[in-house]
Amino acid sequence: MVLGYERLSTWDSLGAHAGNPTNVSPAGQTGSSLRMAVAPPRSHGPATGRAAPGAVGRLGRTMWRSVGRRPTLGVGALVVIYAVVSVVASATRPLWNDELFTLHVADQPSLHLLFSVLRTGAEANPPGFHLLTRAVIKAFGTGQVALRVPALVASLLLLPMLYYIVSRRLGTAAGYLAALVPLATVAPSYSYEARPYALVLALAALVLLSWQAYIDGRRPRLALTGLAFGGAAATCMHYYGPLILLPIAVGELIRSRQLSRIDYRVWVCLLVAVLPLLAFIPFIRAGIDLTGVPWDPVRSSQAVSSYLWLLPVTMIVLFTSVALAVTVVGRRRRRRHQVLSLPLPAPEMAAAATFLLVPAAAVAIGEFATGAFTQRYGLAAVIGVAVLLPAGARFLEPSRGRLTAALCIVVGLISIEVAVSDQVSVASQRKGQDQTLALLAHIPPGAPVIVAEQHAFLDLSHAAPPAVARSLLYIADPAQATAKTGSNIEELELMGIAPFADVKVRKYPDLITRQRKLVVLVADHDPEWLVPVLRADGYAITEIRRDGVSLLLSATLGSRSRIAVR
């Protein structure tokens, strides 16, 4: 007979309770309690009773134990897989309109010109993001993979930070679940986009990690530095970046109430983090002056649609199910007069819950202050899901890790589905652009081609061969755009950046009055306002050629046209 110790947790190999400083035994052991157990003698004969696990079962159990005992190896493997998928997508997906704005601003010949572009109000991101991108361009060039390096690095750092935040409180398995959650959301699509959203998301994790470290008393000076730096960097990356500080402020209020005192050092760090906004006021005002309403108008429905955009349906069902189960189990325990204990310290629970509210806060700011909001501004809500999902699993199953293990498997499968869907979308974008470029190859060299849609014009001006790109032009008319589409913001932004980029933008009808016959490219079956206006002004529209989702049109001025050709 062998005398030993046996953990009460059935998933001890993944350390379901390891690393929880609030659950430390007097002997210094962390995690589940220990009990004396008498193991039966090892049998070398035929198995009796329950059948011994097969080779697949033994292999799976060995892998789980290896990952649980070597978290660095497990998280490292997850990061490597994520990096490979993101790099492949980055190399395949063409640069699109918003990323080309990043390129045209950051790649200016001088810093003076860079700031001149931002003063036009045509670009809606602060200087810090463009200065970072400029440094990357100087180091790696302007290739589409190189341009996306900051977003890729930030996305890869996000996973270990989330693992560490959660595993310190809830154990290794919960840490893995937290690291998997972003992969099952919309976040991976921003790991290969040359915009600041992945950076802000990673900085949100850094801020939460630094604040948690400060609460625990681990290297407080470094933790406060990380808190101030992370918040300030987020402010410099995006004008809505300071929203990631709101959860920390709410959590700190709870903590101050628990301590019966105010920790001024934390509040000073939060104040320092938002100070860069003062330097950005001229650029914000330029955006307002350019369009009257900056960037994208706010719609009240976006408060709800942001969450539907953020999470796939399967993740919404999963998270909602866990939340409902927590509510039901909590009420049942309360009726039985059982002690209800939070799986995380109250300040951290409050901070995580507030992260979920970041999209709603962004909508409120857009509606009552800036007049601007897009769903991407609320991406930091991913942090709330990543922390609260494993916390809910711990609340439902305090002494075992089976639910957390099951959630890891389910979220892992959802992340695979998301990755496959993203790759299909990227391949479709590449195919569509290749078809449009093939269509342009039928145009005689030097013949001008009017691209009817703003995004397609900027995309093709960058992707097309130089000879073809020089023949592309866009006809802009903010008044017509407003009348036909309800918005002129993108029209004005393109007109603002055109003098600083190697693209041709002309006002309507200045060019039209010089041409009796025009060639118009309509991409994605979206003629915007131009084709209806040409028809109204007396042009006869006929189809020249169609390929995929794009078509070439010929516009010939009729005898009864309202436009006089010079």
Side-chain angles (χ1 to χ4, degrees):
M1 297 179 68
V2 181
L3 187 64
Y5 288 97
E6 175 186 358
R7 287 192 182 273
L8 292 178
S9 172
T10 59
W11 202 31
D12 60 299
S13 60
L14 281 186
H17 298 271
N20 184 357
T22 64
N23 188 26
V24 180
S25 65
Q29 297 286 345
T30 60
S32 57
S33 60
L34 301 176
R35 70 177 180 184
M36 297 293 294
V38 179
R42 296 178 181 175
S43 172
H44 300 282
T48 60
R50 189 175 61 179
V56 175
R58 288 194 298 270
L59 177 61
R61 187 170 60 183
T62 301
M63 292 177 62
W64 279 120
R65 286 180 175 175
S66 298
V67 170
R69 292 170 181 172
R70 298 179 179 87
T72 302
L73 178 64
V75 176
L78 190 62
V79 169
V80 169
I81 295 172
Y82 189 25
V84 171
V85 173
S86 297
V87 169
V88 170
S90 181
T92 306
R93 181 192 186 192
L95 292 173
W96 73 291
N97 180 83
D98 288 15
E99 293 180 289
L100 292 171
F101 267 77
T102 298
L103 175 61
H104 289 312
V105 173
D107 197 31
Q108 289 297 312
S110 66
L111 289 177
H112 173 73
L113 287 176
L114 186 153
F115 283 97
S116 297
V117 178
L118 296 179
R119 290 190 191 98
T120 67
E123 167 61 335
N125 289 315
F129 170 66
H130 295 292
L131 293 175
L132 173 63
T133 305
R134 182 180 181 86
V136 171
I137 290 175
K138 296 295 183 183
F140 303 110
T142 58
Q144 63 186 43
V145 176
L147 204 62
R148 293 161 171 163
V149 163
L152 175 61
V153 173
S155 297
L156 298 181
L157 292 176
L158 172 67
L159 305 189
M161 284 192 290
L162 284 176
Y163 169 83
Y164 195 70
I165 289 168
V166 174
S167 65
R168 279 194 59 82
R169 298 287 188 253
L170 303 177
T172 304
Y176 280 124
L177 178 57
L180 283 169
V181 163
L183 307 184
T185 69
V186 74
S189 61
Y190 291 96
S191 67
Y192 45 88
E193 181 171 296
R195 299 298 277 177
Y197 308 111
L199 291 163
V200 173
L201 181 58
L203 290 168
L206 173 62
V207 164
L208 181 58
L209 177 63
S210 300
W211 180 62
Q212 183 194 65
Y214 177 73
I215 291 176
D216 291 345
R218 293 178 281 119
R219 306 183 70 177
R221 290 184 179 179
L222 181 61
L224 290 174
T225 301
L227 176 59
F229 169 79
T235 303
C236 292
M237 294 297 110
H238 196 274
Y239 292 124
Y240 278 65
L243 279 178
I244 69 170
L245 302 174
L246 180 61
I248 307 303
V250 172
E252 187 61 25
L253 287 174
I254 303 297
R255 178 170 171 262
S256 297
R257 183 175 180 180
Q258 289 181 338
L259 298 176
S260 298
R261 62 179 177 84
I262 297 177
D263 193 332
Y264 291 101
R265 288 176 291 186
V266 173
W267 293 103
V268 168
C269 289
L270 297 180
L271 177 62
V272 168
V274 299
L275 285 180
L277 276 179
L278 298 177
F280 301 151
I281 290 177
F283 305 114
I284 297 173
R285 286 179 175 172
I288 296 174
D289 294 339
L290 177 68
T291 63
V293 176
W295 318 315
D296 291 332
V298 180
R299 297 183 297 273
S300 58
S301 60
Q302 289 177 304
V304 175
S305 63
S306 294
Y307 297 98
L308 301 177
W309 165 85
L310 184 71
L311 302 174
V313 175
T314 46
M315 276 297 291
I316 292 176
V317 172
L318 181 66
F319 186 79
T320 304
S321 300
V322 172
L324 290 175
V326 167
T327 302
V328 172
V329 171
R331 289 180 177 178
R332 183 180 302 172
R333 292 175 183 174
R334 189 179 295 110
R335 286 197 301 266
R336 295 176 180 177
H337 304 288
Q338 295 178 348
V339 177
L340 295 180
S341 58
L342 294 174
L344 294 173
E348 294 179 28
M349 285 292 293
T354 307
F355 268 114
L356 284 183
L357 299 177
V358 166
V363 170
I365 291 175
E367 184 174 0
F368 298 108
T370 66
F373 174 78
T374 64
Q375 294 168 334
R376 301 183 292 269
Y377 297 172
L379 190 61
V382 169
I383 304 294
V385 180
V387 175
L388 291 178
L389 188 61
R394 168 57 64 85
F395 180 83
L396 295 173
E397 196 178 32
S399 61
R400 296 187 177 186
R402 288 180 178 177
L403 179 58
T404 304
L407 289 176
C408 282
I409 295 172
V410 173
V411 173
L413 293 175
I414 295 174
S415 68
I416 293 174
E417 178 189 5
V418 169
V420 172
S421 177
D422 285 349
Q423 294 297 325
V424 170
S425 176
V426 166
S428 176
Q429 293 175 37
R430 169 60 69 182
K431 180 180 179 181
Q433 188 177 89
D434 290 344
Q435 289 176 336
T436 304
L437 292 174
L439 195 63
L440 289 173
H442 296 281
I443 302 297
V449 179
I450 300 173
V451 183
E453 196 269 333
Q454 305 100 320
H455 285 195
F457 167 69
L458 210 55
D459 298 352
L460 294 172
S461 296
H462 177 77
V468 177
R470 284 192 294 269
S471 67
L472 301 179
L473 57 93
Y474 182 77
I475 306 300
D477 189 331
Q480 292 285 2
T482 301
K484 300 296 182 181
T485 68
S487 174
N488 64 1
I489 294 175
E490 293 179 342
E491 200 93 352
L492 291 170
E493 289 176 342
L494 185 57
M495 293 173 64
I497 202 170
F500 302 92
D502 189 18
V503 294
K504 299 178 182 178
V505 178
R506 304 289 186 269
K507 289 185 178 181
Y508 183 89
D510 292 350
L511 177 77
I512 302 297
T513 57
R514 302 187 184 98
Q515 302 288 334
R516 180 173 292 277
K517 189 172 183 179
L518 306 170
V519 177
V520 180
L521 172 67
V522 177
D524 297 329
H525 297 309
D526 188 1
E528 287 288 322
W529 59 267
L530 180 61
V531 173
V533 168
L534 288 176
R535 283 198 178 100
D537 285 343
Y539 276 87
I541 308 296
T542 58
E543 182 177 318
I544 301 175
R545 193 179 185 92
R546 180 187 298 266
D547 192 350
V549 297
S550 301
L551 64 152
L552 282 175
L553 302 176
S554 173
T556 305
L557 191 64
S559 58
R560 297 182 179 180
S561 172
R562 294 179 297 179
I563 296 180
V565 179
R566 296 173 186 174

